[in-house]
Each structure stands twice: as C-alpha cells, then as structure tokens.
Amino acid sequence: MEDARRRYLDLIRSDGVEFSATLAGAFAAVPREIFVPDGFHRRDGRRVVPADRDYLATVYSNDVLVTKMDGDVPVSSSSQPSLMAAMIEGLAVRPGMRVLEIGAGTGYNAALLATLGAQVTTVDVQPDVASRARSALARAGLPGVRVETADGYTGGPPERYDRIIVTVGVAGVSPLWLDRLDPGGRIVVPVEHAGTHPVLDVRPGLMSARVVCAAGFMSASGPLTARHPRSHPPAAVALDGLTETSPARWRPSLDARAYRDLWYAAGAWHPRSSHASIAGRESSYLAILDDTGEAGSVVLADGAILASGESAERYTAVGIALADRWWALGRPPMTAWRVGLALGGDPAAPIWAPSSWTLDPITPGG
Ligand SMILES: C[S@@+](CC[C@H](N)C(=O)[O-])C[C@H]1O[C@@H](n2cnc3c(N)ncnc32)[C@H](O)[C@@H]1O
C-alpha cells in the first residue's frame, strides 16, 4: 500500500503540477478508496468495483473516478488528483482557515483540505451524494467536516469563510459567495471559457481574476451555469465533413500545454470559440463554431485548419488569424491573462461572469 501511495504522488507530479510537501503528505495520508466504496466508472467508461484486481491501482491513478451517472452523463465524481492539487495550491490554505467547498462529490477533496488543518463546510446539490460524502468522511475519521445539501449558488450555511473552492464547472461567481468571504479572501473556481473550465483565482473587491490552470469539469446545475453576454457556444459533440483548408504552420506541433494556451487566447479574442470533438479521433479540439453550432473550423496542434459548412472559408480565415495572433505575441500562457468580471446571467439569480480579458505586457510562452 505504501508503494501504491508513493507511486500515486509520482503520478500526480508527472502531470507537471508543483505542490508542497504538506499537500503531498495529505495525499499520502487520506485513503482515496474510502470515498469510492461502491466502485466507479473510469474515464473510458469501464466500471471498476472493489473486487476487481486493478481496483486499488485505478483508485491510486491520476485520473477522475466517476461515481454517479445520469444515463450517459457523469453527474458526480472524484476529480483528477493533479487538478485537485493545482486548485488546493492555488487556494493557499493555512491551518485554521474556514473553507467552503461547492460540490462535495465523494468528499475526498474536503478530506484533503481538512487534513491540511482547514475547517471545511462542503455543499452538494444532490442529497444522496451529500449523504454518501458525509458517511465517507466519518469512516475516514474526519467527522468535523460539515456536509450540507444545497444549491451552491446560495453559498450554503450563512457563515463567514476565508476561502471558497468550487469543484464543479460554473459560468460565473455567485454574489452570495462574495457576501460570505472575509476581507483578503479568495475564490478558486472553474469558469466556462470556450467550452472548457479553466480555473480562476478570483479576488473579490477588484472583481478580477487570474487564470490558475486548464481544466474540464462537469457543469453545475441551476443558476451557476446561466448564459450571459460573453458565453461561448456550447461544445459541439462531433464535427462532421471536415476537410483541411489550411496546412500545418508549426513544426513541431504544440505540446498539450501550449495548445491549451492557444485555446484560452482564442476564447478571449473570439466569441464563437468553443470545444469540439472530431469523429474517429479521441482528443478535444479548439473550434470556432458558426451560428448553427455544428460547423465551422478546428485549429489543430500543428496550426493546420480543418473546416466544414457553408462558411468554411470565413471560419478558416478566423482560425488562421487567431493562431497567428497568438504566435506573434510570443505564445502567451493562459496564466498571463487577467479576467474582468461583470454581473450577468439570470436576472433573478445573477452571477459575476467573465466580460473582458487583458494580457500582461511581456509574456513569452514556454
Ligand atoms: C466533480 S464533482 C466534485 C468532486 C468532489 N469535490 C470530490 O472531491 O469528490 C461535482 C459535484 O458538484 C455537484 N453539483 C452540481 N451542481 C451543483 C450546484 N449547483 N451546487 C452544488 N453542487 C453541485 C454535483 O452533484 C457533483 O457531486
């Protein structure tokens, strides 16, 4: 078991995330299997149960464990550990801090925060999920973590917090979270941008944010995912009929991190940027979708453009312009962006959503 946990830490680090020895200690101390006692679905859809030979190896992999499905759609999970590590590092938690988590899920992230010495309250909109998280936290010897059933928009129990961490994809920040935060507090939250959920570090007061890292989360239910004036089009399920309309422009191709940086910039510059999959290919792609949402252009990691639909020529030109602009600016990383937030969404339950993006002046890409 000790070997499995050591390998686990190596796997989390191999994703390029740097995290403190204290957080490594928490990952080594909290048994993840306690939080998935009934098994889970792997990313590839395979169901894994405790009796399976590879159960513990899969639990201690650097991957998401899906614990609840609604038909084909995952509605609860234990997130990818390297993403949890990046978010907890971004939160800068110290012992004794009061932390509100939105999206209790399995309770594992709350357990890590509690092991770091935080006083944790976690809320989940699904009563059965909240109840299972409560039981798991008790079995893990962390009965002090408070688990409540609530829509995260409400901010849960009306108390004061030093930090808020959101572990479900949202379109913006609830004003009720701001009311709960003490001065100097911060919110780490994955906010929809071009079909993915980059994690933002929001500093209330300024109502601006920095980008922490790339992420893809399941979307929250309720007003937290309302559309707003700068919403991007929903992700296209799979684009059909694509042909190459512009050849590769970069050798070697961008690595996964640089491709995410390009994707972020495209989302800041073009309102039709989104996420697409391509029939027969496994990866996710930056797409610029036309008004139908089912055609447009795709920018590949080597800068080649694929396009489809009646406006293929126009969307090819947009893809080229976005790629060239990002390259000419020195390939800025997503962490170089400052995001301005404005109140929008459902007028009855507004959210602070991204509305403007500015780039730090000198930010050469990696
Ligand atoms: C990715 S999981 C959270 C992972 C969790 N932190 C863990 O460590 O296992 C997302 C959770 O957010 C919950 N959720 C979705 N919409 C929500 C909302 N509006 N308010 C609160 N929780 C919500 C889902 O029920 C789901 O359990």
Side-chain angles (χ1 to χ4, degrees), residues 75-79 101-109 123-126 129 150-152 167-168 218 220-221 224:
V75 291
S76 195
S77 65
S78 170
S79 308
E101 181 191 42
I102 308 292
T106 62
Y108 180 54
N109 193 56
V123 302
D124 203 288
V125 73
Q126 303 188 72
V129 170
D151 187 316
T167 58
V168 62
M218 57 184 65
S221 55
L224 287 171

Side-chain angles (χ1 to χ4, degrees), residues 10-94:
D10 290 344
L11 287 172
I12 299 173
R13 282 199 194 91
S14 68
D15 210 14
V17 182
E18 286 175 19
F19 54 98
S20 66
T22 321
L23 182 51
F27 272 110
V30 178
R32 196 183 190 196
E33 67 274 24
I34 287 187
F35 296 87
V36 290
D38 305 322
F40 49 84
H41 291 271
R42 297 193 327 181
R43 192 186 290 269
D44 63 9
R46 204 192 104 200
R47 176 113 190 113
V48 179
V49 295
D52 290 338
R53 283 170 65 115
D54 62 349
Y55 171 73
L56 278 181
T58 315
V59 166
Y60 289 102
S61 64
N62 181 31
D63 215 345
V64 59
L65 312 177
V66 176
T67 46
K68 186 172 175 189
M69 303 283 288
D70 181 7
D72 286 345
V73 181
V75 291
S76 195
S77 65
S78 170
S79 308
Q80 185 172 21
S82 55
L83 177 55
M84 295 165 67
M87 291 179 70
I88 293 175
E89 278 298 314
L91 204 61
V93 179
R94 290 190 298 279

